[in-house]
Amino acid sequence: SPGSAAMEQGSHAIVEGNGGPGLATGIFTDLQKMKEKIKEDMAKPQYDVTNFYREKGVCQAIARSGIFEKVTLTIIAINAGWISYDTDNNKADTLLTANPQFQIAEHAFCVYFSLELYIRFRAFKRKRNCLK
């Protein structure tokens, strides 16, 4: 079509637009440069928060634990379900006036997530690395 036809020639794209045909100047117009960029990105080490944890200690051992990770993800999923249940069934305006089941559940989630945060924070060798 006259407004936006593109054809491939060598490693550059020819673009036909309102101003006539010309070389595209996008970020990956050169195939070799694109391959090099992909290789560089693949060679970079993947970010892993556990690289900043201590080597010894109870908190780092718990934070590195696969069981801890799975339990936390399960609690997050349960909390998401609980939020929908709470939204549909809790008619109280505040937590203090809600039925005990809603208060207990909210406090239980708060305690678990606070404990998780405490454990993960204590696992860091240098505390400022938790901001990376």
Side-chain angles (χ1 to χ4, degrees), residues 1-9 12-17 20-25 29:
S1 73
S4 62
M7 301 168 63
E8 182 102 16
Q9 280 190 346
H12 297 286
I14 302 296
V15 177
E16 294 178 3
L23 286 175
T25 57
T29 56

Side-chain angles (χ1 to χ4, degrees), residues 66-112:
I67 293 171
F68 181 67
E69 183 177 341
K70 289 177 180 92
V71 167
T72 299
L73 291 174
T74 302
I75 298 293
I76 290 169
I78 292 169
N79 184 242
W82 178 259
I83 289 171
S84 72
Y85 176 78
D86 182 65
T87 301
D88 290 342
N89 298 300
N90 186 0
K91 305 303 179 202
D93 291 333
T94 65
L95 186 58
L96 289 174
T97 59
N99 289 337
Q101 69 181 7
F102 297 108
Q103 291 183 25
I104 292 167
E106 292 300 325
H107 291 344
F109 288 124
C110 183
V111 166
Y112 182 80

Side-chain angles (χ1 to χ4, degrees), residues 41-69:
D41 289 345
M42 290 175 63
K44 289 180 183 176
Q46 242 184 351
Y47 176 80
D48 184 8
V49 72
T50 61
N51 292 337
F52 300 106
Y53 287 173
R54 299 172 187 259
E55 283 78 36
K56 296 179 182 177
V58 174
C59 287
Q60 68 82 29
I62 294 170
R64 290 179 195 268
S65 166
I67 293 171
F68 181 67
E69 183 177 341

